[in-house]
Structure formats: structure tokens, C-alpha cells
Amino acid sequence: MKQKLFVLLALFVVASMVLAACKPAPVVEKPPYDEVKFAPIKVEAPDCEYGGEFKSIEAVDESTVKFTLCYPDPAFPSKLAFSVFSIQDTGYLNYFTGDSVKMSDKPNGTGPYFVKEWVRGDHITYEANPNYWGEKAKIKTVIFRWSEQSAQRLLELQSGTADGIDNPAPEDFAAIQGDSNLKLYPRPALNIFYIGFNNTYPPFDNEKVRQAVAMGIDRQRIVDQYYPTGSSVADNFVPPPFNPGYSPSIKWYDYSIDEAKKLLAEAGYPDGFEVTLSFRNVVRGYLPTPDKVAQEIQAQLAEIGITVKIEEMESATFIDATSAGQEDLYLLGWGADYPDATNFFDYHFANDNNKQFGTLFPDIVTEIKAAASLSDPVARQQHYDKVNELIKLHVPMIPVAHGGSATAFKANVEGAHSSPLSNEVFSVMNNGAAQLVWMQNGEPSSLWCSDETDGETLRACEQVYEALLSYKVGGVEVQAGLAEKWEPNADLTEWTFTLRKGVTFHNGVAFDAGDVVSTFVAQWDAASPNHVGRTATFEYFGAFFGSFLNAPKP
Amino acid sequence: MENAIPKLSAEAIPERRSPTVETIRRLFRHRSAQVGMILLAFMILIAIFAPVIAPYDPVAILKEETRRSAPCIHLLGCPQEQTQHLMGIDGNSRDLFSRVIYGSRLSLQIGFVTITFAIIIGGIIGALAGFIGGWLDNILMRLMDVLLAFPSLLLAIAIVAVLGPGLRNALLAIGIVSIPIYARIVRASVLSVKELDFVSASRALGASKLQLLLTKVMPNALTPLIVRGTLGIATAILDAAGLSFLGLGAEKPIPEWGLMLGEERNSIFNAPHLVFFPGLAIMILVLSFNLLGDGLRDALDPRLAQNRSK
């Protein structure tokens, strides 16, 4: 009896081992949500009184989307090409309720690459999308890594563990150009570095104090000493290529210690004052050496009697604090997202959600709004000339520099480039190998970018997602994306997009007009269940298109 | 019994030197202590005469100089028309030599202040714990154990994170972190001495507790405290430099060596002089304290020295 039991037990063990050794047949991964069939849909605002730009978005048929605007917007295509407005599958979006964090675990887009894995704190691996509708990616695997240290990025490039890096230090430009294995790709300076004031805090509530500080900053010296070649001293808030926007005739205050001191005395501060200058020690194209420039400004302001204490803050904390209006004097900048002056002016000086400069200046707001609704470049420029003049008068900030930056790649990477909008496209590159490693400054915050503003995050998204339109690789011109054709009506208030056929998302679902509507509604309609994002602020949407639909009353 | 023991002649008795003199003699003969003392004296002199030695204001930006230019020393063939900068120009167009010179003041202050603080507080805690004993001993020593359970730099970072960055807070943090070591040393000495006969005798003669502690017990704890303290200064300087390197210590533009290193860590390949000289200065100062501490240990404990030399 006992023996029998033993034999049975042995058999059982052997049987279970055999069973364990046999692999179960691979289960075909099926998304846990259903494909949403196309049905014509129209989401419409009851009227245009709510303060936003959108009147309605309509999926007319499977491949036609119509946007109706409350006021004419000549920059509409440029805005729609921005990666924050990438299109997502309706079923997927509904399943994850537009939650950027959850979506980042299993990103789904239409782009030339899909995300294989994101090892938090270490790297992101992209694999080429074999079903891509356009020209397929040439390199099978692209890996994104990051380091804040420019020396480390350069070292990795030189030692061959990285094929391309972002923002090499200005001091290293010469070394890279002298190395035949490497190539430097200078990035045009479509950005602005400024010293921001918050006009709700004394003494910066006094216009004369702000003007005095503006005169006490030697901008030429800062650019000469701390910026690479290709940079220029800023006189306006927008960089020179922006036309309309840039006013060549308006020059900033001349540097003069005596004038500055005189003005300070007039304002009631003959002996200066004490103030804290906050900044983040994060390298951006507009500010290649943040802590050095901060100390330079500290020393320059000491000469006009202002004692500056420098406070270095963590990047995200700093951004949140400035836009909440908690920092009175700070160093910040802006890189162009789309090539139109509205991207600079509207976001900063005519945006109720942005409290970084304190209270808005009503005269500046009026001019900016007037310019944004015109389509004639000459008429717009007249308004922007006024804007630039008023900015010089009120000094909400001091424009310091348009900073040149660069990317560097190994010389054998074909198609390597740098983009003025910082959205380098890796699917056009080819290094003849199966893998390319890219090293940027920082880790993305998420991999669904509808609610992101950081360039490092946007670049990571841009490989995976596509918007209705796109920018030319390495340029700023708007070209077709998921939409093949687009046409406005005569007064630029109705835009009709004809969508590309045969596009599928990475999850296998076909792309149609319904996806466009649900993607935009998730951002536009504050009452939508998908209006979640990462922080639910959707800063870009607000800056580009004004108020949200059904926004909760404050 | 005529052949009694002959009287010892006075000359035959070797002159008895006081233990302090003997210790100092041994210290001055000790090779590594000699090197340590020379280096330390050199650094202290530099710190005292910093305003005389340094050619420029350490925080003044020299507008006519190109930032990050390499050292220019006339004796080594740098053209006369260029201004002499012994260690070059730093990333903000300041004279690096002046900054390194002034940095010695800060580092020495940091070392002495933190360790004095730690020895005083740690000494009181250790003496109380050892002398009174009982539940007080238990409580104090478990507290010290908790402090010791954290890696010291990590604990210092945590303290600075709570207090906010700044040189004073960094000093406080390093001081707090160093307390348990000294508390333990003092407590151990107190425990080993307090039941000895000469203490009991004093007590029997009516010495008060405080008197006993200060005159009989504490002097015996002095030797290990001095040795440990000297070595501790070296660690404290390193820790403070580490905190400043991480941006938690001295604030810009204070010429603190660790801060100077941290600011320029990206320059190690394209402008190595910016990290070389502050690094070298830290090394020399820390080395001097370590050598001196080693020598002191040998000099104060002859048995250890003899064992070593065998």
C-alpha cells in the first residue's frame, strides 16, 4: 500500500514536470478594448462666448474632418502639426481615459517606431514599425538614453556607446568639429533666453525698477562669454526669423550702469535692494550654461547695488513655481514649438493661465489678440511692432539671447540633423547598423504628450505618434501628416482635412476621422472623461486655442 | 650587615620627563607626522595671509579676461603682455588662484568648527552616559546607534534637505553626523576608568561627582579624542566638500573647493585646470590631517608605535 502511494507520488511529480516543460501555445495579444467602428460625429460648443477658439469639430465621413473656428487663425496648420496634438485611437483612448501615465506603459500610435520598452530611469527602446504607411524606418532599433552632464554625453559619443547626442557643451564644439569620426549639426537659434520678473512682488511692481535692471544687464557680454557661435543678443522677445513678429527697428535698452543707478534712485532704491534669483540648472538650447550665467548676472547686478542670492531649483518644481507666479526674479527661456509669433507672444503675455510675469499688461494683451486674428502679414506686423514697443516699455522680462545649440552625431549616420524645433526625426537616419543610441538631456515625463511641455518628453513622443500635419524634417515648413490635404475657407474659420487611407495604429486598429475628433475632444472638453493627461492642465492647448469647453467655473 | 645595598647616586636616575613633553618629542620624530605638520602649517599660513597672497578678489568677475583660459605663469614662458593667472581663469572669469587661496580659509574653518561642535556635544553625551549609567546610558547610546546606522554623508544630505541648503546648515549637518563617534569614545574611556582605585579613592575622600568627572575621569578620555578628532577633521572637510559638490553646501559664488569642483565637473576634459587645482587643494589639506592624526596616534600610544615598528 505504502509502496503504491510512493509510486503514485513519483508519477505525479514526473507528470507535473513534463507538463511544466511544455510551453503553452503563445497567446495572441489582443487589446482589452473593442475597436470603435466609425460613425459620423460632431462636437460643438453652444456658442463662442466660452473664450476658446474651437466652435466645432466634425467627422464628416471616414476620411474627412472639419474644424470650425470662432475667429480666423492663419497659424492653424502650424499649430496642428505640433506633436501635442498627435492622434490617438478612440478605443485605446477611452480604455485608458486619456491618462498619460497609464498610456506610457503601453504606448500606441501610428508613427514609424513603436515603443518596445521603457525602463524607467534608464532607457527607452523603440522598434521600427513594419506596417508604417510611409517610408519605413531604416534603423530597426533606436534607444533613447539621457544624462544631464554634457561631459558624460560627449564621452559616450566619443567612446562609441552613443551614436548621437543633444546639446554638447559650447566649449566642446571645437573638439567635435576637429574629430573626423564625429559631426556637429548646429541648430538654428529659434529661441529666447530671458530674465523674468513677476510684477506682483515689490520692488518689481515698480516699472522703473524693471527698466533699471534692464539697463544694468550687459547682454552683449553674456552672449560673448557664455554662448556658442550662432547665438545672438536678443532685442525682441521673438527671434529675427519670425516675420511677422520681429521688429528690426526696436532695439533694447543700452547697457549703462549710471543710467540704471539713476533710475533705481528715482524709483526709491538709491542703495539697491536684496532679491533671490531662481533658476534650474538644466541645459537648454537657449541657455547652455545656466549656473554660470546666473553668477554673471549676480555680479552684474551687484554693480548697480542689487544684492542677488542665487537659488538653484529642481527643474519641474521651478517650472511649476514660475507659472504659478511664485518666483519674482528668474532665468527662463522658450524654444519655438511651431514657427509663428503667436507661439511666443500669446503663451507668455496674453495667457490668463500663465502667471509667470504676474498680472498681464492689458495694452499688450489687446495688441497680441488683434494680431493673432489677422491673416495679412503686414497688418499683423504693425500690431507686433506695437507689442515689442510696449514690452520694451513695461519690461515684463529682459530678452537676453537667442542661443545657438547643436546636436552631434557619429560621422557615419546618414540623414543626421538638428531641428530648429528640437524634434529630430530618427526614422530618416541610417547608420548601417541595426541600432542607434541617442542621448538627450533628460528623461521624458511620459510617453503620451497631450499634456506635456518639456522638449525632452516631446522628442520621445514624436518618434511614436503623428499629428494631422507635420514639420519638414530639420525645418519649420508644415507638410502633410496623417492628413493628405487641408483647405481653409475664405476667412480662415473653417478648415477641412482629408485623411490618409490605410493607416493603422500599432494596436492594429485602422485610423479614421473619429479618432481625430476624440483626440481633440479629450483635450478641448474639460468635461470629457478622457480629459485626464498627466496634470490635467493641457498647457499647450490652452495657450494655442484659449479656454476649454465646459471649463469648471473658478 | 655592612654590605648593605649601595645607595643609588643621584646622577644614575634618568631625568623623568613629563608625559606631555615625551609625547610631543615622539610626535616631532614621527616621519608622517612631520610631513603632515608641515603641510598643515603651510595651509594655515595660506589661510591667515589669504588677502596678502591672493592677487584678486575671489568673487570679482574679471571682465577683460576670457573665461576658462588656461593658467598663465610668466616664469614658465607665458608672454609678459598677458596678465599672470597662476591657476587660470574659472568658468565665470574669476581668478582661480585667488579662489583656491580663499577656499583654504573656508575648509579649515569647516573642519575645526564641525569637529569642535561634535566633540563638545558628543563628549557631554558620552560622559553623562558613561558616568551616570542606567536608563540614561541606554537611551543616549541607542540614540547614537540610530545615528550611526545611517551612512554619514547620506544622513548629512537628509539633514541639509530638511534645513535647506547653505554653508551653515551643511556645517551643522556634518557636526550632528559626527557626534556619535565621539560620544562612544568618551563613554568607553569613562567606563574603563570610573571604577579604578584612584577614582574610588577620590570619591572616598569626598570629591563631588562633577569634580570626579572633570578632574579624574575626563583627562583619560582626552588621548583617543585628540587622535579621533584630528582624523575627524579630515573627514569633515571631505564631507563638506561633498555636500557643496552636490549643491547642498556653500552657495555660489563662495569660493569653496567642493563647490568649485562641482560647478566645473563638466570641464574635466575641456578645461582640466578648473577641477585639478581645487581637487589638489582638498587632497593636500585632507592628507595633512590624516598624516598628523596617524602620527598623533602613534605618539600618544607608545605601545602601538612599538608594535608597528617591529
Side-chain angles (χ1 to χ4, degrees):
Chain A
M1 184 60 195
K2 213 175 186 182
Q3 220 172 10
K4 223 178 187 175
L5 200 72
F6 188 73
V7 169
L8 266 176
L9 198 70
L11 272 176
F12 175 73
V13 169
V14 169
S16 53
M17 280 167 80
V18 168
L19 276 175
C22 295
K23 255 195 194 157
V27 183
V28 180
E29 234 185 287
K30 204 175 163 291
Y33 43 86
D34 296 324
E35 191 179 334
V36 177
K37 288 271 168 290
F38 175 79
I41 178 174
K42 181 174 187 182
V43 180
E44 190 168 15
D47 51 52
C48 281
E49 299 301 304
Y50 75 102
E53 177 171 333
F54 285 180
K55 175 81 174 77
S56 72
I57 309 173
E58 183 183 5
V60 181
D61 60 51
E62 224 165 297
S63 59
T64 311
V65 179
K66 199 166 98 183
F67 292 82
T68 314
L69 309 180
C70 288
Y71 45 84
D73 184 359
F76 195 63
S78 282
K79 290 178 179 176
L80 282 205
F82 190 39
S83 49
V84 162
F85 306 111
S86 300
I87 306 304
Q88 186 56 274
D89 170 37
T90 310
Y92 175 91
L93 195 66
N94 290 343
Y95 179 73
F96 287 103
T97 66
D99 185 328
S100 303
V101 179
K102 286 185 193 153
M103 288 165 83
S104 303
D105 290 334
K106 214 169 172 13
N108 171 49
T110 55
Y113 282 101
F114 64 86
V115 177
K116 193 175 165 216
E117 61 170 350
W118 178 9
V119 180
R120 300 280 198 297
D122 195 58
H123 68 270
I124 300 176
T125 309
Y126 297 96
E127 292 274 343
N129 173 9
N131 304 321
Y132 186 55
W133 57 266
E135 199 176 333
K136 294 185 177 50
K138 297 183 179 65
I139 304 172
K140 190 166 170 289
T141 309
V142 169
I143 293 177
F144 268 41
R145 290 171 51 209
W146 42 84
S147 164
E148 279 180 23
Q149 307 300 330
S150 61
Q152 192 195 340
R153 291 197 298 274
L154 181 64
L155 196 64
E156 300 243 10
L157 182 69
Q158 286 168 333
S159 64
T161 46
D163 301 274
I165 59 170
D166 195 13
N167 286 344
E171 298 86 27
D172 293 324
F173 279 22
I176 295 170
Q177 279 163 331
D179 189 334
S180 61
N181 294 321
L182 307 178
K183 203 161 172 219
L184 189 78
Y185 297 88
R187 186 183 277 151
L190 273 191
N191 57 32
I192 175 75
F193 162 60
Y194 59 83
I195 305 170
F197 301 107
N198 189 312
N199 64 12
T200 52
Y201 294 96
F204 298 122
D205 53 350
N206 188 332
E207 199 159 282
K208 281 189 178 154
V209 173
R210 299 198 299 270
Q211 288 169 347
V213 176
M215 289 172 189
I217 296 288
D218 187 353
R219 288 141 57 242
Q220 185 67 48
R221 180 181 150 75
I222 294 177
V223 173
D224 288 348
Q225 290 277 325
Y226 302 97
Y227 278 80
T229 46
S231 313
S232 58
V233 176
D235 280 312
N236 287 185
F237 190 65
V238 292
F242 282 76
N243 187 16
Y246 182 79
S247 312
S249 58
I250 295 177
K251 295 283 171 233
W252 195 247
Y253 298 94
D254 286 326
Y255 171 58
S256 161
I257 294 180
D258 299 332
E259 289 287 313
K261 275 184 175 165
K262 216 168 87 190
L263 211 55
L264 267 185
E266 273 178 41
Y269 297 95
D271 306 319
F273 49 86
E274 269 185 47
V275 69
T276 303
L277 172 74
S278 50
F279 76 106
R280 55 172 180 170
N281 202 359
V282 174
V283 173
R284 287 287 182 270
Y286 54 75
L287 185 52
T289 47
D291 59 330
K292 298 286 172 301
V293 170
Q295 292 183 63
E296 173 74 31
I297 289 169
Q298 181 184 42
Q300 289 189 6
L301 289 183
E303 287 182 36
I304 59 170
I306 301 175
T307 312
V308 175
K309 188 175 174 290
I310 295 180
E311 188 185 6
E312 184 179 323
M313 296 173 74
E314 196 273 321
S315 176
T317 320
F318 172 73
I319 295 295
D320 292 347
T322 49
S323 50
Q326 291 160 356
E327 301 300 321
D328 44 3
L329 181 66
Y330 54 91
L331 305 183
L332 196 55
W334 184 258
D337 303 308
Y338 64 91
D340 192 274
T342 51
N343 180 225
F344 280 72
F345 285 131
D346 297 37
Y347 181 88
H348 291 91
F349 305 115
N351 180 358
D352 288 322
N353 299 327
N354 183 353
K355 302 194 171 43
Q356 67 175 109
F357 302 116
T359 325
L360 297 180
F361 297 93
D363 43 355
I364 298 184
V365 175
T366 320
E367 292 298 330
I368 289 177
K369 295 263 187 217
S373 61
L374 296 174
S375 56
D376 174 30
V378 180
R380 283 180 77 194
Q381 183 59 43
Q382 283 170 351
H383 286 288
Y384 284 137
D385 282 344
K386 282 229 184 71
V387 171
N388 287 326
E389 217 167 279
L390 287 169
I391 286 177
K392 187 183 169 186
L393 173 71
H394 293 313
V395 199
M397 51 85 228
I398 304 170
V400 179
H402 304 299
S405 60
T407 61
F409 283 86
K410 283 188 190 158
N412 67 355
V413 182
E414 285 168 35
H417 58 270
S418 67
S419 154
L421 305 173
S422 296
N423 58 348
E424 286 74 25
V425 179
F426 291 91
S427 61
V428 301
M429 297 186 196
N430 189 3
N431 62 353
Q435 178 181 309
L436 181 138
V437 179
W438 163 255
M439 252 187 125
Q440 55 180 26
N441 301 356
E443 180 167 14
S445 319
S446 78
L447 284 179
W448 169 241
C449 285
S450 69
D451 193 14
E452 301 293 343
T453 52
D454 182 38
E456 309 293 319
T457 309
L458 296 177
R459 189 187 290 112
C461 284
E462 277 145 6
Q463 316 307 323
V464 182
Y465 304 102
E466 288 171 306
L468 284 179
L469 305 174
S470 64
Y471 303 111
K472 207 176 134 205
V473 173
V476 296
E477 294 83 355
V478 175
Q479 59 183 19
L482 288 178
E484 278 177 320
K485 280 186 296 186
W486 64 101
E487 242 175 304
N489 66 352
D491 65 351
L492 304 180
T493 53
E494 263 184 40
W495 295 78
T496 312
F497 292 82
T498 311
L499 307 185
R500 205 174 284 281
K501 292 193 178 67
V503 177
T504 51
F505 287 97
H506 299 154
N507 64 358
V509 177
F511 160 73
D512 62 40
D515 300 323
V516 178
V517 174
S518 47
T519 304
F520 275 92
V521 168
Q523 293 200 43
W524 177 36
D525 183 1
S528 157
N530 297 341
H531 189 77
V532 176
R534 193 165 62 85
T535 56
T537 45
F538 297 96
E539 243 177 87
Y540 271 121
F541 188 92
F544 288 7
F545 302 121
S547 304
F548 299 111
L549 187 64
N550 301 322
K553 293 273 173 293
Chain B
M1 301 287 251
E2 280 303 307
N3 54 343
I5 306 162
K7 274 188 181 170
L8 283 168
S9 66
E11 294 94 63
I13 307 171
E15 196 194 332
R16 199 170 165 273
R17 294 196 195 88
S18 87
T20 320
V21 175
E22 185 64 24
T23 307
I24 292 174
R25 232 169 55 92
R26 274 201 298 268
L27 185 65
F28 276 96
R29 281 192 188 163
H30 195 280
R31 187 56 53 81
S32 73
Q34 285 170 355
V35 178
M37 277 187 289
I38 291 171
L39 285 179
L40 186 58
F42 175 67
M43 286 313 240
I44 290 177
L45 282 178
I46 285 181
I48 292 173
F49 295 107
V52 184
I53 301 170
Y56 297 93
D57 177 354
V59 296
I61 287 178
L62 309 171
K63 290 204 168 170
E64 63 284 1
E65 300 292 345
T66 321
R67 59 192 282 262
R68 304 157 60 83
S69 32
C72 169
I73 306 169
H74 288 157
L75 275 176
L76 296 181
C78 179
Q80 286 292 333
E81 59 270 19
Q82 278 184 38
T83 355
Q84 172 157 287
H85 292 286
L86 294 179
M87 294 181 183
I89 301 288
D90 87 343
N92 268 90
S93 311
R94 295 170 297 215
D95 181 47
L96 191 61
F97 179 63
S98 308
R99 287 177 71 73
V100 171
I101 295 292
Y102 270 92
S104 64
R105 286 189 156 186
L106 272 176
S107 285
L108 281 170
Q109 282 173 10
I110 290 168
F112 284 115
V113 168
T114 48
I115 295 309
T116 314
F117 170 82
I119 285 183
I120 291 174
I121 306 283
I124 293 174
I125 292 179
L128 284 179
F131 204 69
I132 296 175
W135 59 270
L136 185 72
D137 182 23
N138 252 325
I139 290 178
L140 287 176
M141 281 304 121
R142 291 306 79 75
L143 251 173
M144 295 297 111
D145 287 348
V146 169
L147 280 184
L148 270 180
F150 292 98
S152 66
L153 193 60
L154 202 65
L155 185 56
I157 290 175
I159 295 173
V160 172
V162 173
L163 297 176
L167 192 55
R168 196 175 305 154
N169 290 342
L171 292 191
L172 194 61
I174 295 167
I176 292 174
V177 168
S178 331
I179 288 175
I181 303 165
Y182 303 102
R184 280 194 157 188
I185 290 173
V186 173
R187 176 177 173 269
S189 316
V190 169
L191 281 183
S192 67
V193 172
K194 78 169 179 183
E195 299 302 338
L196 287 185
D197 287 347
F198 75 98
V199 181
S200 305
S202 251
R203 191 182 292 135
L205 286 172
S208 75
K209 277 197 169 177
L210 193 67
Q211 225 173 349
L212 274 183
L213 185 64
L214 292 181
T215 60
K216 304 290 174 217
V217 177
M218 280 308 273
N220 285 285
L222 221 55
T223 311
L225 264 187
I226 291 174
V227 173
R228 196 51 238 197
T230 316
L231 295 172
I233 291 178
T235 330
I237 291 173
L238 270 185
D239 280 357
L243 282 181
S244 296
F245 182 91
L246 297 174
L248 297 169
E251 281 168 343
K252 292 157 189 162
I254 296 177
E256 208 275 339
W257 292 338
L259 181 65
M260 289 156 75
L261 268 183
E263 265 190 79
E264 295 296 349
R265 60 181 181 271
N266 269 329
S267 309
I268 187 152
F269 296 115
N270 49 37
H273 61 281
L274 296 182
V275 284
F276 176 75
F277 290 113
L280 188 71
I282 295 182
M283 195 206 84
I284 291 177
L285 189 59
V286 170
L287 184 68
S288 75
F289 276 109
N290 275 335
L291 289 177
L292 183 65
D294 255 9
L296 265 175
R297 180 169 50 208
D298 291 353
L300 286 167
D301 191 349
R303 280 167 303 171
L304 201 64
Q306 276 158 16
N307 284 342
R308 270 207 187 163
S309 52
K310 266 175 201 168

